[in-house]
Amino acid sequence: MPRDMQAEALAGASDEALLARYAAGEPAAARVLTLRLTPRALGYAARMLGDAAEAEDVAQEAMLRLWRAAPGWRAGEAQVSTWLYRVVTNLCMDRLRARRRRPAAALDEAPEVPDGAKGAEAGLIEADRMVALQAALDALPERQRQAVVLRHIEGLANPEIAAVMEIGVEAVESLTARAKRALTAILSGRREELGYDDKA
């Protein structure tokens, strides 16, 4: 069967079914699952780390761990996506802890910042908003950042977040509420600067 037809046939399969098919020696299942899960892992890692290159490394490592875990995967114990978010979380936390131990880089060693110039004011405003949001997320305690990113950016439900973070649903609700209050406080004085009028 041609690759396109294989992918189309597998597109409706669950993550767990695809992982089982990969473990049984079906590489097309791995391709479909990679296309489905990698963008989610990458987006979550980027929000947690604030660094696209590090996020790519984390997403790649998390997917490699998933492939290594496939032969021993026990269906029904955890959702594949929940397991993957937990692995990404752990890898991000390891990197964040390593950053705190590392001395700050000299200014000339800092990576180049993309200018983001689209030639349109709207593009610049949007870029400023994304930078401000990432800076605000970076200012949150790690657990609050993790909860709010999983809930409001990744779109996970509170029970799934609880499974990823290995805490109760009430703790998730508390963390997200505190994070939203903190983000509001951090960003409140910047509405005009970020191009929001009083009605926005």
Side-chain angles (χ1 to χ4, degrees):
M1 181 182 296
R3 183 180 291 189
D4 290 345
M5 290 178 67
Q6 281 182 317
E8 196 173 308
L10 294 170
S14 70
D15 296 346
E16 289 75 17
L18 289 170
L19 192 62
R21 290 175 83 155
Y22 165 74
E26 197 171 330
R31 282 191 292 278
V32 172
L33 196 55
T34 297
L35 291 172
R36 186 182 293 174
L37 295 179
T38 302
R40 292 163 66 182
L42 183 59
Y44 176 50
R47 288 288 178 207
M48 289 298 294
L49 297 169
D51 182 301
E54 276 194 290
E56 287 178 16
D57 291 346
V58 164
Q60 183 177 16
E61 176 62 25
M63 292 304 293
L64 286 172
R65 289 184 185 192
L66 179 62
W67 304 135
R68 286 195 296 264
W73 189 266
R74 291 193 294 263
E77 285 191 11
Q79 290 183 6
V80 172
S81 60
T82 302
W83 182 91
L84 186 66
Y85 276 118
R86 188 176 306 137
V87 170
V88 171
T89 296
N90 292 339
L91 292 169
C92 287
M93 293 303 175
D94 289 346
R95 285 177 180 259
L96 290 169
R97 280 190 286 274
R99 277 186 197 169
R100 285 194 297 269
R101 290 190 298 265
R102 201 178 318 142
L107 186 57
D108 59 346
E109 295 173 10
E112 288 292 321
V113 178
D115 65 9
K118 292 183 181 179
E121 184 178 350
L124 293 173
I125 289 172
E126 184 60 27
D128 286 347
R129 288 176 180 171
M130 295 309 296
V131 168
L133 175 60
Q134 188 61 55
L137 286 170
D138 290 346
L140 294 176
E142 288 173 5
R143 300 289 280 178
Q144 287 182 25
R145 178 173 56 232
Q146 188 179 350
V148 81
V149 167
L150 286 169
R151 180 73 183 104
H152 295 288
I153 296 174
E154 296 300 315
L156 273 62
N158 286 348
E160 191 171 3
I161 297 168
V164 170
M165 296 181 69
E166 299 178 322
I167 57 176
V169 172
E170 297 80 15
V172 170
E173 292 167 355
S174 176
L175 284 168
T176 54
R178 289 197 318 261
K180 287 194 305 188
R181 283 193 303 271
L183 287 171
T184 299
I186 292 167
L187 295 171
S188 66
R190 302 190 61 193
R191 289 181 61 79
E192 186 176 335
E193 171 193 347
L194 295 173
Y196 293 105
D197 60 26
D198 290 337
K199 297 175 187 171

